Amino acid sequence: MADVRGHVVELQDINEDDLVVKEPKGSAAGLKAVGVSFERGLKQGGVSRTVRSMYRINQHQGVDCPGCAWPESITGDRKPIEFCENGAKALAEENTTRVATPEWWAAHSISELRDKTEYWLGQSGRITHPMMIREGETHYRPVSWSEAFTTIAEHVQATTPDRCTFYTSGRTPNETAFMYQLFARSLGTNNLPDCSNMCHESSGTALNPTIGIGKGTVSLEDLEHSELVFVVGQNPGTNHPRMLGSLAECRRNGGKVVAVNPLPEAGLLRFKDPQTPKGLLADGERISDEFLQIKVGGDQALFQALGHLLLQKEAAAPGTVIDQEFIESETAGFAEYAAAREHLDWAEIETATGLQRAEIEHIGDLLAASKATIFCWALGITQQPHSVDTIKEIVNLLLVQGNFGKPGAGACPVRGHSNVQGDRTFGIWEKPTEDLLQRIDAEFGITSPREHGYDSTESMIEMAKGEIDVFVSLGGNLALANSDTAYMEAGLQRTGLTVHISTKPNRSHVVHGKTSIILPTLGRTDRDDKHPGGSQFLTVENSMSVVSSTRGRLEPVSDHLLAEPVIIARMAEAVLGPDHAVDWKAMAEDYDVIRDHCSRVIPGTEDFNRRVREKYGFVLPNPPRDRRQFATQQGKGQFTVRALEYLDPPEGHLVLQTMRSHDQYNTTFYGLDDRYRGISGGRRVILIHPEDLAASGFADRELVDVVSSFAGEELRADRFRLVSYPTARGCVAAYYPEANALVHRDLVARESNTPGFKAIMVRFERRADGMENREEVSSLIESV
Ligand SMILES: Nc1nc2c(c(=O)[nH]1)N[C@H]1C(S)=C(S)[C@@H](COP(=O)(O)OP(=O)(O)OC[C@H]3O[C@@H](n4cnc5c(=O)[nH]c(N)nc54)[C@H](O)[C@@H]3O)O[C@H]1N2
Ligand SMILES: Nc1nc2c(c(=O)[nH]1)N[C@H]1C(S)=C(S)[C@@H](COP(=O)(O)OP(=O)(O)OC[C@H]3O[C@@H](n4cnc5c(=O)[nH]c(N)nc54)[C@H](O)[C@@H]3O)O[C@H]1N2
Ligand SMILES: [Mo]
């Protein structure tokens, strides 16, 4: 294949027998990270595109990094380069000059593309033209934009709104999200699943009824000035690298950091700050003061034990540990909570967590002594059957010491996709509040449906049952992102029409509906200036509720790309007809018009257009943080009591968690080097504790088939290599999305319905060729 300049590009593929295993690293970032950032950019896009985009990242009037949702400072000055290795890789991936042109699609049949790996597909570059394939055809072929929209309209008009579902991936900016939900609701459905359903849904589900808001309650400054920060179920060295700078800053200010994780992740141990010369060259700074190597799924037990310890210490020295005044005036349910925590079965806590009582008591001492504590968490906590209960237990710990609405304290769910939080704020939700619907209806003169819609798992199940006729995907790659891969793919293929608004080819395009359309869009770094009023910008909300602008400046790789708001407006016009109450065209022409509508519909965005043009944008209101106010049913911070739960694998099984490597963005692969964990050259691995490996009777590097069990059913994934690794006992780890085939569709978190991506019960089966090539799979021990 070729890039835009006609240079020949060879696409690499993955062969798991190229696997190399080294000693895991003891620190994250440093000089190597800077080197890798530039190397990847140069490989994909050439020198000037890389340097230009890196320099503008996260700057005033620049582009918001498409990597993660970690915030930048809105008080002090920003560093000249506010980026990290993985942000740079995300940029390089989007800025590539490689192109998947109509000739590329003509050269590869669908059956050939189905056999390719996701890594291979992604490397083919940016999609340049709208493409379509109909039932019986073997190849995608180019179509005009108008034919694409007419085809979508025909399919939508031929069915009922409840048989259409509209998925959103979290890179979608605020304005686009707002238009998209307005389109779905104008049509008559709340079927608005999003990646949040698979991600932090458990956080919102736990936080809304207990603190009255589904988001975090801290600012970056709080984190840097906290006395004690817990980092639970999170791998910031890879997934939120700039967070390491804030944790290091917190420690320099005298704070302590406690990491809770089944894996000794490099970024949790030490950090070499790539923004400073000393950080680049020296050994790096320590990140965690304490590391609790917990068993997967054991966190609720840990938090219950910590609650018990706090109450015991308070009883021994009244008035020293808990915040009695706050509890009395601002919370409800404390008496029940205190009663439930009075007794603790330490033996069960040790079984559930895999930790020693003394270790937990030591952390209890730190927590009791801290006057300002923050709990940060991510997917290690949200993707368990009992995730919602675990997060409510975190809220209990915060409430008991009054850790809301004071400096250095609060809840910090660390969000994933760069705008996943904003998408929800701007209306993407299958369970909208009545208040939101009333505001939308009043602004636009439409009648939104009241019935709740499908989330991502429900959409998958309805597709597989043949109950969905139209599936539209605004970004994302649900075929691989969702659980139960074979079931998910069968669902997509059963659907009448699948539409993907995408930047690059992915698996969802090749396991498509009977008719399938790919609509290629401008990415975040691309210039968006084909408007009567000239160049436009969009906005995003980060993990700490800051709304700011993002403006791309690079020359798009093709003249045929449309901006996402334009695509949605034209789709809505085609489907809803020219007389529809909403003026879609006005919004697509001038994004200020969208923001004006938002400012009247979305609370906290009043005067949007003026405020977002201020230097670093504006912060959305957050009652628990701003005023110690809790908009819950009782108007108080709500203590909750939930029965203890943890993962108890059936005989002969281990608990499997799935995670990201250092060289991927969700279902997109940048390369095959999980550098900090020392795994490179292949991804089909199972990390297993040496003693569990010995007990299992298999050899290190042996090739096995993996079988998962759920509710009496088994799912399989073949050809994984076992790799001896210092994970917690009884808990193995594999990469997402390779292991998604093992996640049964009904394995979900209660209440939030988030897939149990970190709670899979597995066993291994011997293969006839299991020991073949075992010696060739090399093992190098490199000093750290
Ligand atoms: N470079 C890069 N950045 C990203 C992404 C990416 O793919 N690449 N993805 C983005 C997205 S969408 C998201 S949501 C975030 C995800 O950010 P993370 O939540 O950091 O992502 P995971 O790789 O799933 O890592 C989960 C961590 O939880 C630990 N863990 C697993 N089970 C348990 C448990 O039961 N208890 C505890 N205490 N820990 C557990 C794992 O060992 C691992 O360290 O990152 C975002 N940023
Ligand atoms: N086993 C397991 N499964 C998981 C997880 C896990 O931890 N374990 N994590 C879950 C989580 S947290 C998440 S968030 C989901 C992620 O699920 P998704 O958000 O659905 O997946 P992504 O891989 O982020 O989507 C990548 C695709 O987005 C498109 N894209 C990229 N940039 C743009 C853009 O600017 N505009 C548009 N329109 N398209 C763009 C590209 O075509 C690319 O192929 O996966 C979930 N799945
Ligand atoms: Mo996510």
Side-chain angles (χ1 to χ4, degrees):
M1 68 161 295
D3 69 8
V4 266
R5 302 180 194 113
H7 298 160
V8 176
V9 180
E10 199 71 50
L11 299 190
Q12 290 172 19
D13 215 345
I14 303 175
N15 172 359
E16 63 261 32
D17 284 349
D18 294 339
L19 189 69
V20 175
V21 181
K22 299 179 186 175
E23 189 102 317
K25 296 263 187 247
S27 70
L31 200 54
K32 173 83 180 170
V34 176
V36 174
S37 316
F38 281 93
E39 175 207 308
R40 292 297 160 75
L42 302 184
K43 202 164 105 191
Q44 291 276 358
V47 182
S48 80
R49 283 172 79 84
T50 306
V51 172
R52 278 170 59 203
S53 58
M54 276 193 197
Y55 200 68
R56 297 219 66 88
I57 205 82
N58 295 337
Q59 301 295 333
H60 175 48
Q61 302 216 326
V63 59
D64 178 69
C65 183
C68 72
W70 190 253
E72 299 79 39
S73 170
I74 51 167
T75 50
D77 280 336
R78 296 206 176 156
K79 299 173 181 114
I81 299 194
E82 273 273 358
F83 75 96
C84 69
E85 173 191 346
N86 280 345
K89 288 191 216 159
L91 280 180
E93 183 73 19
E94 180 168 300
N95 296 165
T96 185
T97 50
R98 296 177 184 181
V99 276
T101 58
E103 294 73 41
W104 183 86
W105 292 99
H108 304 287
S109 70
I110 283 297
S111 60
E112 182 192 340
L113 293 175
R114 274 191 199 145
D115 286 339
K116 296 294 187 189
T117 61
E118 195 61 20
Y119 183 43
W120 188 95
L121 284 176
Q123 288 175 89
S124 57
R126 293 285 296 269
I127 304 164
T128 59
H129 291 68
M131 306 296 297
M132 178 153 77
I133 188 166
R134 288 190 190 270
E135 204 165 8
E137 292 177 345
T138 55
H139 291 74
Y140 272 98
R141 57 181 169 78
V143 281
S144 66
W145 281 100
S146 54
E147 187 184 344
F149 292 127
T150 311
T151 309
I152 297 171
E154 283 165 8
H155 280 262
V156 176
Q157 286 159 3
T159 184
T160 49
D162 56 311
R163 294 178 66 89
C164 302
T165 186
F166 298 92
Y167 174 71
T168 312
S169 168
R171 198 180 280 202
T172 303
N174 296 329
E175 292 79 357
T176 320
F178 184 77
M179 288 176 78
Y180 192 59
Q181 61 83 30
L182 182 60
F183 167 52
R185 295 189 170 120
S186 297
L187 179 67
T189 180
N190 284 310
N191 289 343
L192 285 161
D194 68 347
C195 69
S196 193
N197 297 145
M198 297 176 279
C199 185
H200 266 287
E201 196 66 57
S202 304
S203 303
T205 306
L207 294 175
N208 270 316
T210 51
I211 64 166
I213 190 169
K215 309 178 180 185
T217 66
V218 303
S219 69
L220 200 58
E221 285 62 37
D222 286 325
L223 196 85
E224 293 178 353
H225 294 95
S226 179
E227 286 183 32
L228 183 63
V229 178
F230 283 81
V231 182
V232 191
Q234 222 202 310
N235 180 21
T238 287
N239 298 316
H240 303 92
R242 285 177 303 115
M243 182 179 179
L244 299 185
S246 304
L247 293 173
E249 185 62 30
C250 168
R251 290 194 75 252
R252 278 176 225 136
N253 293 329
K256 283 194 158 48
V257 176
V258 176
V260 184
N261 202 302
L263 295 176
E265 308 281 26
L268 297 174
L269 306 176
R270 297 188 85 76
F271 167 59
K272 301 181 185 180
D273 189 348
Q275 320 273 9
T276 66
K278 189 166 152 264
L280 285 178
L281 301 170
D283 274 355
E285 297 179 62
R286 188 162 157 175
I287 286 288
S288 350
D289 297 86
E290 306 292 336
F291 172 58
L292 294 180
Q293 188 163 28
I294 197 163
K295 272 195 195 169
V296 170
D299 306 85
Q300 191 200 6
L302 171 67
F303 302 143
Q304 289 197 351
L306 290 175
H308 167 80
L309 291 170
L310 290 181
L311 294 173
Q312 268 200 333
K313 288 175 200 296
E314 173 71 15
T320 60
V321 177
I322 72 175
D323 188 339
Q324 205 52 262
E325 209 182 298
F326 173 82
I327 292 173
E328 268 160 36
S329 62
E330 311 296 343
T331 72
F334 175 70
E336 293 83 348
Y337 174 70
R341 289 297 152 270
E342 202 174 332
H343 300 287
L344 195 74
D345 179 348
W346 275 107
E348 189 174 24
I349 297 295
E350 288 187 334
T351 308
T353 58
L355 303 169
Q356 306 285 314
R357 177 173 179 170
E359 280 178 281
I360 299 176
E361 282 176 341
H362 174 58
I363 303 301
D365 292 344
L366 295 179
L367 183 59
S370 165
K371 297 288 170 230
T373 301
I374 290 177
F375 276 87
C376 300
W377 71 89
L379 305 187
I381 295 297
T382 65
Q383 299 176 333
Q384 303 281 349
H386 53 306
S387 288
V388 175
D389 295 344
T390 303
I391 298 164
K392 286 186 172 172
E393 215 65 72
I394 294 179
V395 173
N396 287 337
L397 289 176
L398 289 169
L399 286 173
V400 92
Q401 291 188 294
N403 278 314
F404 286 102
K406 68 179 184 189
C412 182
V414 180
R415 306 300 303 257
H417 259 300
S418 55
N419 199 44
V420 58
Q421 185 160 318
D423 292 343
R424 191 52 67 83
T425 304
F426 285 81
I428 303 288
W429 200 10
E430 77 283 359
K431 299 186 198 71
T433 60
E434 177 59 26
D435 180 57
L436 174 73
L437 298 179
Q438 278 179 14
R439 285 163 170 270
I440 294 171
D441 293 356
E443 175 72 11
F444 294 100
I446 63 169
T447 307
S448 299
R450 264 40 188 186
E451 197 185 330
H452 287 174
Y454 300 135
D455 65 14
S456 56
T457 295
E458 290 160 346
S459 295
M460 162 171 75
I461 290 173
E462 295 304 317
M463 278 192 259
K465 291 198 311 208
E467 299 290 337
I468 298 292
D469 297 315
V470 177
F471 169 71
V472 181
S473 192
L474 178 51
N477 184 9
L478 207 55
L480 291 186
N482 219 334
S483 49
D484 222 333
T485 312
Y487 186 82
M488 176 70 223
E489 295 193 353
L492 282 171
Q493 289 175 276
R494 205 170 168 189
T495 300
L497 173 72
T498 52
V499 179
H500 286 92
I501 301 167
S502 307
T503 50
K504 302 183 110 184
N506 68 38
R507 179 80 185 166
S508 301
H509 303 153
V510 300
V511 287
H512 53 73
K514 292 181 183 126
T515 296
S516 173
I517 296 176
I518 304 173
L519 302 176
T521 180
L522 294 177
R524 200 177 277 181
T525 50
D526 295 326
R527 198 161 61 212
D528 181 6
D529 57 1
K530 289 187 193 157
H531 299 267
S535 156
Q536 301 290 316
F537 69 89
L538 290 157
T539 67
V540 291
E541 175 187 347
N542 66 30
S543 210
M544 293 179 182
S545 307
V546 181
V547 177
S548 61
S549 65
T550 174
R551 187 191 288 271
R553 295 181 192 259
L554 294 182
E555 178 71 25
V557 290
S558 155
D559 292 335
H560 302 277
L561 309 184
L562 291 183
E564 284 170 332
V566 178
I567 294 176
I568 292 163
R570 289 189 57 184
M571 181 161 64
E573 281 172 341
V575 170
L576 303 168
D579 302 327
H580 189 253
V582 177
D583 188 348
W584 299 99
K585 188 155 183 265
M587 287 194 265
E589 283 185 348
D590 180 356
Y591 301 169
D592 278 0
V593 174
I594 318 174
R595 285 184 284 270
D596 280 338
H597 284 302
C598 293
S599 69
R600 292 183 292 264
V601 175
I602 307 298
T605 67
E606 298 77 15
D607 206 6
F608 198 163
N609 273 306
R610 183 187 62 77
R611 288 199 293 156
V612 82
R613 284 175 167 86
E614 283 174 6
K615 193 164 181 194
Y616 293 137
F618 61 94
V619 188
L620 288 168
N622 190 307
R625 181 191 63 201
D626 304 340
R627 296 186 301 275
R628 285 197 150 181
Q629 256 177 23
F630 302 94
T632 58
Q633 229 164 20
Q634 300 198 43
K636 304 262 182 191
Q638 184 67 51
F639 282 95
T640 46
V641 175
R642 296 294 173 107
L644 176 60
E645 194 175 318
Y646 50 94
L647 303 175
D648 186 14
E651 183 65 30
H653 288 68
L654 297 168
V655 179
L656 171 73
Q657 61 137 325
T658 58
M659 63 198 180
R660 292 149 175 81
S661 93
H662 192 61
D663 228 359
Q664 79 184 79
Y665 196 90
N666 297 340
T667 68
T668 300
F669 304 131
Y670 305 140
L672 298 176
D673 190 4
D674 193 10
R675 207 171 72 242
Y676 298 150
R677 298 195 186 107
I679 311 285
S680 63
R683 295 180 43 97
R684 293 183 82 82
V685 293
I686 302 276
L687 308 185
I688 179 169
H689 190 279
E691 287 169 34
D692 289 324
L693 182 65
S696 73
F698 294 98
D700 195 11
R701 309 303 141 75
E702 185 167 345
L703 202 56
V704 295
D705 294 337
V706 188
V707 184
S708 69
S709 310
F710 181 81
E713 279 186 56
E714 291 195 332
L715 293 171
R716 310 181 61 89
D718 291 347
R719 297 182 61 82
F720 279 76
R721 285 221 185 252
L722 295 173
V723 173
S724 175
Y725 197 88
T727 171
R729 274 304 302 270
C731 308
V732 293
Y735 295 122
Y736 143 58
E738 283 79 357
N740 287 39
L742 295 164
V743 190
H744 192 282
R745 58 193 167 278
D746 296 332
L747 169 54
V748 290
R750 283 191 312 279
E751 300 174 73
S752 65
N753 215 30
T754 297
F757 290 130
K758 293 178 172 62
I760 313 156
M761 303 302 164
V762 294
R763 62 185 172 81
F764 309 121
E765 279 185 1
R766 183 147 274 132
R767 292 177 59 91
D769 61 353
M771 299 298 271
E772 273 175 31
N773 303 328
R774 200 173 76 89
E775 301 311 319
E776 283 164 38
V777 176
S778 49
S779 172
L780 300 175
I781 300 297
E782 193 191 57
S783 64
V784 245

